[in-house]
Amino acid sequence: MELAIGVVGLGAIGRDHVKRFHERITGCKVVAVSEVNQEVGRRVAEQYGAKFYADGEELINSPEVQAVVVTTWDPAHAQYVLASIKAGKYVFCEKPLATEAAECEKILAAEQAFGRKIVQVGFMRRYDPGYTELKKTIEEGKIGQPLIVHACHRNMTHAATMTSEMSIKNSGVHEIDVLRWLLDDEYVSGQVVLPRQSRISAKEGLQDPQIMMLRTKQGICIDVEISQSSGYGYDIQCEVVGDLGTAKLPDPPGVITKTDCSRVTGIMPGWETRFVEAYNIEMQDWVDRVKNAQPLVGASAWDGYVACVTSNILGQCREEGGTSKEIVLPEKPEFYN
Amino acid sequence: MELAIGVVGLGAIGRDHVKRFHERITGCKVVAVSEVNQEVGRRVAEQYGAKFYADGEELINSPEVQAVVVTTWDPAHAQYVLASIKAGKYVFCEKPLATEAAECEKILAAEQAFGRKIVQVGFMRRYDPGYTELKKTIEEGKIGQPLIVHACHRNMTHAATMTSEMSIKNSGVHEIDVLRWLLDDEYVSGQVVLPRQSRISAKEGLQDPQIMMLRTKQGICIDVEISQSSGYGYDIQCEVVGDLGTAKLPDPPGVITKTDCSRVTGIMPGWETRFVEAYNIEMQDWVDRVKNAQPLVGASAWDGYVACVTSNILGQCREEGGTSKEIVLPEKPEFYN
Amino acid sequence: MELAIGVVGLGAIGRDHVKRFHERITGCKVVAVSEVNQEVGRRVAEQYGAKFYADGEELINSPEVQAVVVTTWDPAHAQYVLASIKAGKYVFCEKPLATEAAECEKILAAEQAFGRKIVQVGFMRRYDPGYTELKKTIEEGKIGQPLIVHACHRNMTHAATMTSEMSIKNSGVHEIDVLRWLLDDEYVSGQVVLPRQSRISAKEGLQDPQIMMLRTKQGICIDVEISQSSGYGYDIQCEVVGDLGTAKLPDPPGVITKTDCSRVTGIMPGWETRFVEAYNIEMQDWVDRVKNAQPLVGASAWDGYVACVTSNILGQCREEGGTSKEIVLPEKPEFYN
Amino acid sequence: MELAIGVVGLGAIGRDHVKRFHERITGCKVVAVSEVNQEVGRRVAEQYGAKFYADGEELINSPEVQAVVVTTWDPAHAQYVLASIKAGKYVFCEKPLATEAAECEKILAAEQAFGRKIVQVGFMRRYDPGYTELKKTIEEGKIGQPLIVHACHRNMTHAATMTSEMSIKNSGVHEIDVLRWLLDDEYVSGQVVLPRQSRISAKEGLQDPQIMMLRTKQGICIDVEISQSSGYGYDIQCEVVGDLGTAKLPDPPGVITKTDCSRVTGIMPGWETRFVEAYNIEMQDWVDRVKNAQPLVGASAWDGYVACVTSNILGQCREEGGTSKEIVLPEKPEFYN
């Protein structure tokens, strides 16, 4: 009766999800795990009573696995998503769907050939109560027609491996996905503006911060500040300006203290706490829908493809010194409407 | 492996909890339900695949039930808690533990005779992330020694059955419990102040609002405004004043809109949304602890007793026109430390 | 053409007002000053081109003085106000009007005998834009009928001379005046509640904080926390609860910074900055009205009397251990309507 | 002893300033006014006891006028500023200094030839307490080195005469001036991005909103949303992002009401109330400095020139479809340091 899940990839987010399925999500069970680091893989398997597979594809094809979660490193995402489609199993793939547009296209083709939408991409912000309320506010017409979006994605610090490209592909991609979902619109062009370099982000060659500029079909202009080293906390801001008013994403709640001539509310250091509720809602929704064979409502493979293409083009904009580029995509297949 | 729960009483909160156990809480299953309205009871039983018992005590004694949740009307709470203790089963009783102090005392005696703490009372605010952060802020010494608490409990509207007494026993009792938990202190006296009557609360004989005043052993002075008809929403406020600063419970987050010369954030109409997270955390914690035979950390039978005695004394204060009264309790048994 | 002002008393607030008249208030000139400390007095006189008088009454009676400002120490207020009335000159007296009710009564009698209202008491909060907007909000009916007021008056630290009595007579008296003005209502009873002592307020015999409780004719219940040692800043709070909603005094604006995982707004350390705008508006209004012989709209001698009587009764409540007392005043003379 | 001021131009802002000098600013007197609409001019002259001049230059050269305030329509500003310099009199010119760069250059040359800085341009935001605190916060290093500025200038509605060009030259110019002052930096390039058109701003040919993008010598990237028809109020926002944190301009304070499931603070409809304090401080400072022959600290003729050139270049960017342009200025003369 419980959905039998197999998890491929046990890095930080993979282990997080295994724990989440075990402790927070009802109606499911992690029955199988796979991980290139076999020691880690076997330990996690034992801890949660799951079977360990050295080979991810073997796990996917194993009959006791009903649905697959892909949380490997990014370059391996496409391979396991394709294997899951081939096996005819629902697959939840952490973002990005793939690192290259060509791989996304293979996934789109495979899923359409399979004939039913079974791929979901892990853009959890679509489930965040703040973004959900913001979308509802816009859809109810409270602020009129959206004209402009001002957004910020500020990480407190970054890993040593962070690069200028990753800043857009890993952080910016969340904004790319959530804003077109929020506005129910598509991008037509983009640009990257490079401000003065932060001294905190002291990694050779890492341009930080960056500002992504996007324009949609409806003409909505979006500016998104992306920072890998805000210096003060993890801070996600989003304000939508309509022709009747504005609507702003709420900050996470926090105790207000007054001490030392200061009125203070805490700011979270990282995304783990900021979006924990979004992850929980996302995964419960996915499990419920997969179990009941209901249509998925999270980000589809098409959404993953759009995010991939858009972030790649923005990456080129940055490399080419900030010029504006068109964002051109093939027509959206009927299958994905 | 899943905790087999029996729920006695299927009113609004009872059905809510059954749904919660089914959809949100992991590691448990509602296997049996009981309800005086048999039609409702049988329908709920069928919906969730549970067995229906016309008789609550029979449910409690049924071998397939491992733990009991009591959500009947208030006057029947004590009976089923006592039956659960007799059956040696963990029992979660929605607040209040009992309507009379004498009944609470019977429960205390029975639980001590049984020899292990197996009763938990449903004061969910102890699990609310806002109150939890507030308690942590105090305990870390950020605001020094607490001196004063200003609190408000405002309901938007009340049921036709609401009375002046219930205003304290049903609404005020949450404050009575959560504030002594927050301050880690005990009440020594109380008083009820009766302000001008609200015209919105148009029920004959219902004094609304009321102000409960409490003093603790450490001398902390507490004022709690209780309103059954705020006219604008469900609003819970709590500010603790220490000798180095103050700390305030956060408001629930909400989208900020700017329209019509107004900057607006929504206020929730009722408690269901305001404390849904607290209920979820509370119930998951209870299930986890019961399953693993870990000590319970929620409100104990003793806490339920203190809340009952305190709200009864405050009820007398109000009836006697607002005079101050001592709040005297027997010494806390070692068992409850 | 400029109003010729004489200032009696050049302590901190006196010098502040002289500076204010010189730099910020149009249509007036300080022509004469008096001060018991002659050295200070002569220096201020010279600085501002005013004449120095060793004797305050001589200043008042001097023909070049058209209007008088009394800013001596509290016990001398009544004497100079009476002298001004006798001289038939407008007099602005810093709060309190007098330290004893009997003195206030003499002033009321003298002013009525003179036949025109020429006394104004320096309760500047009536001119604060925040309080003004709050009063307007209530009067427009936005929150329905007021039922309850929660207020706080928190000083950061106190002078070595501060006493439990002064805490009410000097700080609390501002609240006593502004709240009956805000509510357009009169007090009928009061009480003082004494919470746990602050360790910061380490003066022998100073009870700090204190809570003043007041009830009005309309039954509005007021609680005002008075603290002489908040430990964190100067903080004035006021929330009015009506039967349709609530309205809250705004905090002073301040830059919002985000650093070190904290969202911070500054809190002012003292009243000087917090109410500087109120003082400026108050004084300009007084000068304008006096020059044009328009009726004064600030706090009258009667208001000063009510504040004096009320704070005296609350002082007795505190001394007698917190019992509630009636606040009885003679009927308000027609003259003061 | 009072500074004798002559005001040339009595439109809305001109009459406002005359009233301000009369009622709020100490140490000055409006002795002469001039206005092309002679009926209005004579009425204002009579009301304030000033002499009326049909000819502005005659007023400027009249011996009883010590200092000049220019508040005519924009195209006449330069003429009267030049006349004032020729007459060797201090002149306060409402923004803009001139509509064409060439006129500004004539003023710069004339003032340098005169040999002392006697021109001030009316960029009042430099005196706003919020901007002042923001500048101080940056200068104290609290947020590290500034990297990015996000700003908004939203008018509620616009006059029928508003054009796309005026949106930058009249509204945007305030941002252009205040941001380089705030950052103590100079612009090197600019761009205008044109979002979807607001339906509220229904004027043929008026592009609204617009986004000005500016880059400074230090590499700080600035985005400023300019809206002539926000639909909800007059709203000025400014957030400076540094490499250690961020600092945000405070909103004007306002009573917070809770009614109808909404927590509400009012937003001002227009600039008159929003910046009234800035205007008062600005004018008092100017009068004080002129009277005492102290160096002026407000916006200089050079600042007016920079604002003029920058807004002209941004206007060209918009006309040419949003391309980025360099902002090139002659070297700043030593005289203006």
Side-chain angles (χ1 to χ4, degrees):
Chain A
M1 206 116 89
E2 291 187 316
L3 183 70
I5 295 173
V7 177
V8 184
L10 297 174
I13 185 80
R15 290 198 303 274
D16 244 36
H17 281 329
V18 171
K19 192 165 184 285
R20 185 184 323 280
F21 286 124
H22 191 71
E23 293 178 358
R24 284 284 162 267
I25 310 300
T26 61
C28 67
K29 191 169 162 50
V30 175
V31 298
V33 295
S34 176
E35 164 60 32
V36 290
N37 180 331
Q38 296 210 8
E39 195 186 321
V40 166
R42 288 182 196 284
R43 199 176 58 232
V44 172
E46 191 179 358
Q47 183 181 356
Y48 291 99
K51 185 170 170 190
F52 175 72
Y53 286 85
D55 182 77
E57 304 214 11
E58 197 185 332
L59 175 150
I60 290 167
N61 290 310
S62 145
E64 86 270 19
V65 169
Q66 294 176 292
V68 179
V69 170
V70 178
T71 45
T72 60
W73 72 320
D74 297 357
H77 283 187
Q79 167 192 356
Y80 294 116
V81 170
L82 285 166
S84 301
I85 296 173
K86 198 170 165 197
K89 294 184 181 175
Y90 280 99
V91 56
F92 180 99
C93 178
E94 259 310 322
K95 59 97 201 167
L97 179 58
T99 50
E100 298 306 322
E103 290 177 317
C104 293
E105 285 161 7
K106 276 189 211 161
I107 291 169
L108 293 175
E111 194 180 27
Q112 290 178 78
F114 177 73
R116 199 156 43 84
K117 279 185 275 185
I118 54 174
V119 178
Q120 180 164 330
V121 183
F123 285 119
M124 78 292 182
R125 288 201 196 169
R126 295 179 176 216
Y127 294 90
D128 174 70
Y131 276 108
T132 306
E133 190 189 349
L134 188 54
K135 187 169 170 64
K136 190 162 162 277
T137 303
I138 297 168
E139 289 175 353
E140 289 172 353
K142 280 195 187 163
I143 62 165
Q145 285 188 349
L147 310 176
I148 296 171
V149 176
H150 304 295
C152 296
H153 180 125
R154 298 179 187 142
N155 292 322
M156 187 155 176
T157 51
H158 56 80
T161 52
M162 178 57 62
T163 64
S164 298
E165 193 184 11
M166 284 167 67
S167 191
I168 288 176
K169 288 200 177 174
N170 282 28
S171 301
V173 75
H174 278 295
E175 308 289 335
I176 289 168
D177 180 69
V178 85
L179 294 178
R180 56 183 280 275
W181 166 82
L182 188 70
L183 300 168
D184 196 15
D185 201 352
E186 297 297 338
Y187 305 124
V188 295
S189 65
Q191 185 183 356
V192 173
V193 175
L194 301 181
R196 184 188 205 180
Q197 176 69 18
S198 167
R199 297 166 303 174
I200 305 310
S201 185
K203 203 200 157 191
E204 188 69 31
L206 168 58
Q207 171 65 42
D208 191 47
Q210 302 181 34
I211 300 175
M212 306 189 322
M213 311 273 300
L214 288 159
R215 176 182 290 271
T216 71
K217 275 192 183 154
Q218 296 183 85
I220 302 169
C221 283
I222 299 167
D223 53 272
V224 186
E225 177 200 327
I226 311 281
S227 170
Q228 299 304 331
S229 49
S230 76
Y232 71 85
Y234 181 72
D235 196 7
I236 303 299
Q237 298 289 328
C238 182
E239 184 191 29
V240 182
V241 182
D243 51 14
L244 297 179
T246 69
K248 199 176 148 304
L249 190 71
D251 284 319
V255 162
I256 301 150
T257 58
K258 295 181 177 179
T259 56
D260 298 321
C261 289
S262 299
R263 189 178 183 279
V264 181
T265 315
I267 296 176
M268 289 169 176
W271 53 269
E272 304 87 347
T273 27
R274 172 63 181 85
F275 285 115
V276 67
E277 204 179 348
Y279 280 116
N280 288 343
I281 298 172
E282 174 190 48
M283 283 308 194
Q284 186 68 60
D285 175 75
W286 181 72
V287 165
D288 291 350
R289 291 178 177 275
V290 168
K291 274 180 71 176
N292 299 300
Q294 292 173 325
L296 301 176
V297 296
S300 68
W302 176 259
D303 296 321
Y305 175 54
V306 173
C308 176
V309 170
T310 306
S311 55
N312 284 349
I313 291 173
L314 289 173
Q316 290 165 27
C317 290
R318 195 200 57 251
E319 280 167 29
E320 295 172 15
T323 57
S324 173
K325 280 191 179 292
E326 279 188 49
I327 295 171
V328 185
L329 286 158
E331 206 179 337
K332 189 175 174 182
E334 188 58 37
F335 181 84
Y336 286 106
N337 285 335
Chain B
M1 208 118 87
E2 291 188 315
L3 184 69
I5 295 173
V7 176
V8 185
L10 296 174
I13 185 81
R15 290 198 303 274
D16 245 37
H17 281 331
V18 171
K19 191 164 184 285
R20 186 185 321 282
F21 286 126
H22 191 72
E23 295 178 357
R24 286 282 161 266
I25 309 301
T26 61
C28 67
K29 192 173 162 46
V30 175
V31 297
V33 295
S34 175
E35 164 59 32
V36 290
N37 181 329
Q38 297 209 6
E39 196 187 318
V40 165
R42 286 182 198 284
R43 200 177 56 233
V44 171
E46 194 179 354
Q47 183 181 355
Y48 291 98
K51 186 170 172 191
F52 175 72
Y53 287 84
D55 183 77
E57 304 213 9
E58 200 185 328
L59 175 149
I60 289 165
N61 291 310
S62 145
E64 87 269 19
V65 169
Q66 294 176 292
V68 179
V69 170
V70 178
T71 45
T72 61
W73 73 320
D74 296 359
H77 283 185
Q79 170 193 353
Y80 295 115
V81 171
L82 285 166
S84 302
I85 297 172
K86 200 170 161 195
K89 294 183 181 176
Y90 279 98
V91 55
F92 180 98
C93 179
E94 259 310 321
K95 59 97 204 167
L97 179 59
T99 51
E100 298 306 323
E103 289 177 316
C104 293
E105 286 162 5
K106 275 188 211 159
I107 292 168
L108 293 175
E111 194 181 26
Q112 290 177 78
F114 176 74
R116 199 155 45 84
K117 278 185 276 186
I118 55 173
V119 178
Q120 180 164 332
V121 183
F123 286 119
M124 79 290 182
R125 289 201 196 170
R126 295 180 177 214
Y127 294 90
D128 175 71
Y131 276 108
T132 306
E133 189 189 348
L134 188 54
K135 186 169 170 65
K136 190 162 161 278
T137 303
I138 297 167
E139 289 175 353
E140 289 172 351
K142 280 196 186 163
I143 62 165
Q145 285 188 349
L147 309 175
I148 296 171
V149 177
H150 305 295
C152 296
H153 180 126
R154 297 178 187 144
N155 292 323
M156 186 156 177
T157 50
H158 56 79
T161 51
M162 179 56 62
T163 65
S164 299
E165 194 184 10
M166 283 166 66
S167 189
I168 289 175
K169 288 200 176 174
N170 284 27
S171 301
V173 74
H174 277 296
E175 307 289 336
I176 289 168
D177 180 70
V178 84
L179 293 177
R180 57 184 278 277
W181 167 81
L182 188 69
L183 300 168
D184 196 15
D185 200 354
E186 298 296 337
Y187 304 124
V188 295
S189 65
Q191 184 184 356
V192 173
V193 174
L194 301 180
R196 186 188 203 180
Q197 175 69 17
S198 165
R199 297 164 306 171
I200 305 309
S201 185
K203 204 200 156 190
E204 188 70 32
L206 169 59
Q207 171 66 42
D208 190 47
Q210 302 181 35
I211 299 174
M212 307 188 322
M213 311 272 301
L214 288 158
R215 176 182 290 271
T216 71
K217 274 194 184 151
Q218 295 183 86
I220 302 169
C221 282
I222 298 166
D223 52 272
V224 186
E225 179 201 325
I226 311 282
S227 169
Q228 299 303 331
S229 49
S230 75
Y232 71 85
Y234 180 72
D235 197 7
I236 304 298
Q237 298 289 328
C238 183
E239 186 191 27
V240 182
V241 182
D243 51 16
L244 297 180
T246 70
K248 201 176 149 301
L249 190 69
D251 284 319
V255 162
I256 301 150
T257 58
K258 295 181 176 180
T259 56
D260 299 322
C261 289
S262 298
R263 188 177 183 279
V264 180
T265 315
I267 297 175
M268 289 170 176
W271 54 269
E272 303 87 346
T273 27
R274 172 65 179 86
F275 284 115
V276 67
E277 203 179 350
Y279 280 116
N280 289 344
I281 298 172
E282 174 190 49
M283 283 309 193
Q284 187 68 60
D285 175 75
W286 181 71
V287 166
D288 291 350
R289 290 177 179 276
V290 168
K291 274 180 71 174
N292 300 300
Q294 291 172 325
L296 302 175
V297 295
S300 68
W302 176 260
D303 296 321
Y305 174 55
V306 173
C308 176
V309 169
T310 305
S311 55
N312 284 349
I313 291 172
L314 289 173
Q316 290 165 30
C317 290
R318 196 200 56 253
E319 280 167 28
E320 294 171 15
T323 57
S324 171
K325 279 192 179 293
E326 279 187 47
I327 295 171
V328 185
L329 285 158
E331 205 178 337
K332 188 174 174 183
E334 188 57 38
F335 181 84
Y336 287 105
N337 285 334
Chain C
M1 208 118 85
E2 291 189 317
L3 182 71
I5 295 173
V7 176
V8 184
L10 296 173
I13 185 80
R15 290 197 304 272
D16 243 36
H17 281 330
V18 172
K19 191 166 185 284
R20 185 185 321 281
F21 286 125
H22 191 72
E23 295 179 357
R24 286 279 162 266
I25 311 300
T26 61
C28 66
K29 192 171 161 47
V30 174
V31 297
V33 295
S34 176
E35 163 60 32
V36 290
N37 181 329
Q38 296 210 7
E39 196 188 319
V40 166
R42 288 184 196 282
R43 198 176 57 230
V44 171
E46 192 179 356
Q47 182 180 357
Y48 292 98
K51 184 170 172 191
F52 176 72
Y53 287 84
D55 182 76
E57 304 214 10
E58 198 185 330
L59 175 150
I60 289 166
N61 291 310
S62 145
E64 87 270 18
V65 169
Q66 294 175 291
V68 180
V69 169
V70 178
T71 44
T72 60
W73 73 319
D74 297 357
H77 283 185
Q79 169 192 353
Y80 294 116
V81 171
L82 285 166
S84 302
I85 296 172
K86 199 169 163 196
K89 295 185 181 174
Y90 279 98
V91 56
F92 179 99
C93 179
E94 259 311 319
K95 60 97 201 168
L97 179 59
T99 50
E100 298 307 323
E103 290 177 316
C104 292
E105 286 162 6
K106 275 189 212 160
I107 292 168
L108 293 175
E111 194 181 28
Q112 290 178 79
F114 176 73
R116 199 156 43 84
K117 278 185 277 185
I118 54 173
V119 179
Q120 179 164 331
V121 184
F123 285 118
M124 80 293 182
R125 288 202 197 171
R126 295 179 178 217
Y127 294 89
D128 174 71
Y131 276 108
T132 307
E133 190 190 349
L134 188 54
K135 186 169 171 63
K136 189 163 163 277
T137 303
I138 298 168
E139 288 174 354
E140 288 173 352
K142 279 196 188 163
I143 62 164
Q145 285 187 351
L147 309 175
I148 297 171
V149 176
H150 305 294
C152 296
H153 180 126
R154 298 179 186 143
N155 292 324
M156 186 154 177
T157 50
H158 57 79
T161 50
M162 180 56 62
T163 65
S164 298
E165 194 185 9
M166 284 168 66
S167 189
I168 288 176
K169 288 200 176 172
N170 283 28
S171 301
V173 75
H174 276 296
E175 307 288 334
I176 289 168
D177 180 69
V178 85
L179 293 178
R180 58 183 277 277
W181 166 83
L182 187 70
L183 300 168
D184 196 16
D185 201 353
E186 297 296 340
Y187 304 123
V188 295
S189 64
Q191 184 183 357
V192 173
V193 174
L194 301 180
R196 185 188 204 179
Q197 176 70 17
S198 165
R199 296 164 305 172
I200 305 309
S201 186
K203 202 198 158 192
E204 188 71 31
L206 168 58
Q207 172 66 42
D208 191 47
Q210 303 181 34
I211 300 174
M212 307 189 321
M213 311 272 301
L214 288 158
R215 175 183 290 273
T216 73
K217 273 193 184 152
Q218 296 183 86
I220 302 169
C221 282
I222 298 166
D223 52 273
V224 186
E225 178 200 325
I226 310 282
S227 170
Q228 299 304 331
S229 49
S230 75
Y232 71 85
Y234 181 71
D235 196 8
I236 303 299
Q237 299 289 327
C238 183
E239 185 191 27
V240 182
V241 182
D243 51 16
L244 298 179
T246 69
K248 199 175 148 306
L249 189 70
D251 284 318
V255 162
I256 301 150
T257 58
K258 294 181 178 180
T259 55
D260 299 321
C261 289
S262 299
R263 189 178 183 279
V264 180
T265 315
I267 297 175
M268 289 168 176
W271 54 269
E272 304 86 347
T273 28
R274 172 65 181 87
F275 284 115
V276 68
E277 203 179 349
Y279 280 116
N280 288 345
I281 298 172
E282 174 190 50
M283 283 310 193
Q284 187 67 61
D285 175 76
W286 180 71
V287 166
D288 290 349
R289 292 176 177 277
V290 168
K291 275 181 70 175
N292 299 301
Q294 292 173 324
L296 302 176
V297 296
S300 69
W302 176 260
D303 297 321
Y305 175 53
V306 172
C308 176
V309 170
T310 305
S311 56
N312 284 349
I313 291 173
L314 288 174
Q316 289 166 29
C317 290
R318 194 200 57 252
E319 278 168 29
E320 294 171 16
T323 57
S324 172
K325 279 194 179 291
E326 279 187 48
I327 296 171
V328 186
L329 285 157
E331 205 178 338
K332 189 175 175 180
E334 188 58 36
F335 181 84
Y336 286 105
N337 285 334
Chain D
M1 207 119 85
E2 290 187 318
L3 183 70
I5 296 172
V7 177
V8 185
L10 296 173
I13 185 80
R15 291 199 302 276
D16 243 39
H17 280 331
V18 172
K19 192 165 185 283
R20 185 184 323 280
F21 286 126
H22 191 72
E23 295 179 356
R24 284 284 161 267
I25 310 301
T26 62
C28 67
K29 193 171 160 48
V30 175
V31 296
V33 295
S34 176
E35 163 61 30
V36 290
N37 180 330
Q38 296 210 9
E39 197 187 319
V40 165
R42 288 184 196 281
R43 199 175 59 233
V44 171
E46 192 178 358
Q47 183 180 356
Y48 292 99
K51 185 169 173 193
F52 176 73
Y53 287 85
D55 183 77
E57 304 213 12
E58 199 186 330
L59 176 150
I60 290 166
N61 291 311
S62 146
E64 86 268 20
V65 169
Q66 296 176 290
V68 180
V69 170
V70 178
T71 45
T72 60
W73 72 320
D74 297 359
H77 283 185
Q79 168 192 356
Y80 295 116
V81 171
L82 285 166
S84 301
I85 296 172
K86 200 170 162 195
K89 294 184 182 176
Y90 279 98
V91 55
F92 180 100
C93 179
E94 259 309 322
K95 59 96 203 167
L97 179 58
T99 50
E100 298 306 323
E103 290 177 316
C104 293
E105 286 162 6
K106 276 188 212 160
I107 292 169
L108 294 175
E111 194 180 27
Q112 290 178 78
F114 178 73
R116 199 155 43 86
K117 279 184 276 185
I118 55 174
V119 179
Q120 179 163 332
V121 184
F123 286 118
M124 79 292 183
R125 288 201 195 168
R126 295 179 178 216
Y127 295 90
D128 174 70
Y131 276 107
T132 307
E133 189 188 350
L134 187 55
K135 188 169 168 65
K136 190 163 162 275
T137 303
I138 297 167
E139 289 175 354
E140 289 173 350
K142 280 195 187 165
I143 61 165
Q145 284 188 349
L147 310 176
I148 296 172
V149 176
H150 305 294
C152 296
H153 180 125
R154 298 179 187 143
N155 292 322
M156 186 157 178
T157 51
H158 56 81
T161 50
M162 179 56 63
T163 64
S164 297
E165 194 184 8
M166 284 167 65
S167 191
I168 289 176
K169 287 201 177 172
N170 282 28
S171 301
V173 74
H174 277 296
E175 307 289 336
I176 289 167
D177 180 68
V178 85
L179 294 178
R180 56 184 280 276
W181 166 81
L182 187 70
L183 300 169
D184 196 15
D185 201 352
E186 298 296 339
Y187 305 124
V188 294
S189 65
Q191 183 184 358
V192 173
V193 175
L194 301 180
R196 184 187 202 180
Q197 175 70 16
S198 166
R199 296 164 306 172
I200 305 309
S201 185
K203 205 202 156 190
E204 189 68 31
L206 169 58
Q207 171 65 43
D208 191 47
Q210 302 180 36
I211 300 174
M212 306 188 324
M213 311 273 300
L214 288 159
R215 176 183 291 272
T216 71
K217 274 193 186 154
Q218 296 183 86
I220 301 170
C221 282
I222 297 168
D223 52 274
V224 186
E225 178 200 325
I226 311 282
S227 170
Q228 298 304 331
S229 50
S230 77
Y232 71 84
Y234 181 73
D235 196 8
I236 303 299
Q237 299 289 327
C238 184
E239 184 191 30
V240 182
V241 182
D243 52 14
L244 297 179
T246 70
K248 200 177 149 302
L249 190 70
D251 285 318
V255 161
I256 301 150
T257 57
K258 294 180 178 180
T259 56
D260 299 321
C261 289
S262 299
R263 189 176 183 280
V264 181
T265 314
I267 296 175
M268 288 168 177
W271 54 269
E272 304 86 347
T273 27
R274 172 63 180 87
F275 285 114
V276 67
E277 203 177 351
Y279 280 116
N280 289 344
I281 298 171
E282 175 190 49
M283 284 308 195
Q284 187 67 62
D285 175 76
W286 180 71
V287 166
D288 291 350
R289 290 177 179 276
V290 168
K291 276 180 68 174
N292 299 301
Q294 292 173 323
L296 302 175
V297 296
S300 68
W302 176 260
D303 296 321
Y305 174 55
V306 173
C308 176
V309 170
T310 305
S311 54
N312 284 349
I313 291 173
L314 289 174
Q316 289 165 28
C317 291
R318 195 200 55 252
E319 280 166 29
E320 296 171 14
T323 56
S324 173
K325 280 192 179 293
E326 278 188 48
I327 296 171
V328 184
L329 286 158
E331 205 178 338
K332 189 174 174 182
E334 188 59 37
F335 181 85
Y336 287 106
N337 286 333

